[in-house]
Amino acid sequence: MILITKDEIQTRTKQLAQQINFDYKRREVVIVGILKGSFMFMGDLLKHLTFDVVVDFIQAESYEGEDSTGNVVLKHELTTNIKGKHVLIIEDILDTGQTLSNISVYLSVYDPLSVKIVVLLDKPSRRIAQIKADYTGFKIENKFVYGYGLDYKQKYRNLPDIHTLEYLV
Ligand code: XMP
Ligand code: MG
């Protein structure tokens, strides 16, 4: 079943970009995408950003199938020097919060000027780690979702809408 349509995603993404453009004004920002799930949202969001960006990626894995293991492993590290820079993390979904809280600690070691977080989706009821996003696309119930970058067993990332798993056959 479709939970969030591609049109709703695009409308909300433009609104988030307007807010982010307003907040950062003309500052230069290092955008750090969390692979793999954020790649589609990141691409769409960045098209609407009007300040200078440097793009980098981190790959973190905590999920096996449908559930978080709580064990966050970095599979690809930052390649940009973020010392003294504004950093904006782009993530697909904030769930237990363990991924983003680990990544925030990892980035803070490199002494950035600021670190903010953008998430497309937030499942607040699942939170374990004390972490909040600065910009959130949609708050959703505790249902596994896939599509628009998010996978179910590494598939369906290419779907343009966000679906809930219950009707997956
Ligand atoms: P935590 O629990 O660390 O999890 O906040 C964040 C990461 O878990 C993945 N995740 C999902 N992936 N459908 C997915 O395809 C989901 O419903 C879902 N919930 C969490 C996601 O990779 C995120 O980076
Ligand atoms: Mg992810």
Side-chain angles (χ1 to χ4, degrees):
M1 189 183 76
I2 291 181
L3 182 69
I4 307 172
T5 67
K6 57 177 185 298
D7 290 347
E8 289 169 333
I9 296 169
Q10 296 308 323
T11 303
R12 185 72 187 119
T13 300
K14 275 186 212 156
Q15 289 171 347
L16 289 176
Q18 277 169 4
Q19 182 68 51
I20 294 166
N21 285 332
F22 179 81
D23 291 350
Y24 283 92
K25 306 268 179 338
R26 307 234 64 83
R27 298 191 180 101
E28 186 181 298
V29 178
V30 181
I31 308 280
V32 177
I34 314 297
L35 293 171
K36 301 172 189 171
S38 70
F39 77 95
M40 236 185 232
F41 174 50
M42 185 172 177
D44 284 340
L45 184 76
L46 262 59
K47 287 177 215 162
H48 301 292
L49 298 184
T50 49
F51 46 83
D52 285 342
V53 299
V54 170
V55 172
D56 207 345
F57 295 96
I58 287 177
Q59 185 169 7
E61 273 186 15
S62 66
Y63 254 61
E64 271 173 20
E66 288 162 56
D67 212 2
S68 177
T69 59
N71 225 344
V72 180
V73 181
L74 270 193
K75 300 226 162 164
H76 176 75
E77 303 209 10
L78 209 62
T79 61
T80 307
N81 183 1
I82 58 167
K83 187 174 166 60
K85 305 275 185 184
H86 293 289
V87 172
L88 190 57
I89 301 173
I90 315 273
E91 175 63 310
D92 52 358
I93 184 164
L94 180 52
D95 188 27
T96 65
Q98 291 170 117
T99 303
L100 279 171
S101 95
N102 275 273
I103 285 172
S104 298
V105 171
Y106 164 77
L107 293 179
S108 67
V109 171
Y110 296 99
D111 211 13
L113 187 56
S114 72
V115 178
K116 283 191 173 187
I117 298 170
V118 192
V119 294
L120 177 62
L121 305 171
D122 184 6
K123 288 183 193 169
S125 64
R126 291 259 303 164
R127 202 75 82 252
I128 293 171
Q130 278 290 104
I131 189 124
K132 271 190 177 173
D134 299 280
Y135 308 93
T136 301
F138 302 91
K139 288 201 169 142
I140 62 169
E141 284 176 49
N142 181 20
K143 283 186 180 155
F144 190 84
V145 289
Y146 64 93
Y148 193 66
L150 293 118
D151 70 304
Y152 174 57
K153 298 192 175 168
Q154 294 303 327
K155 289 196 281 190
Y156 315 111
R157 293 188 194 274
N158 55 315
L159 302 180
D161 309 283
I162 294 172
H163 303 246
T164 48
L165 184 62
E166 53 200 319
Y167 293 98
L168 188 73
V169 281

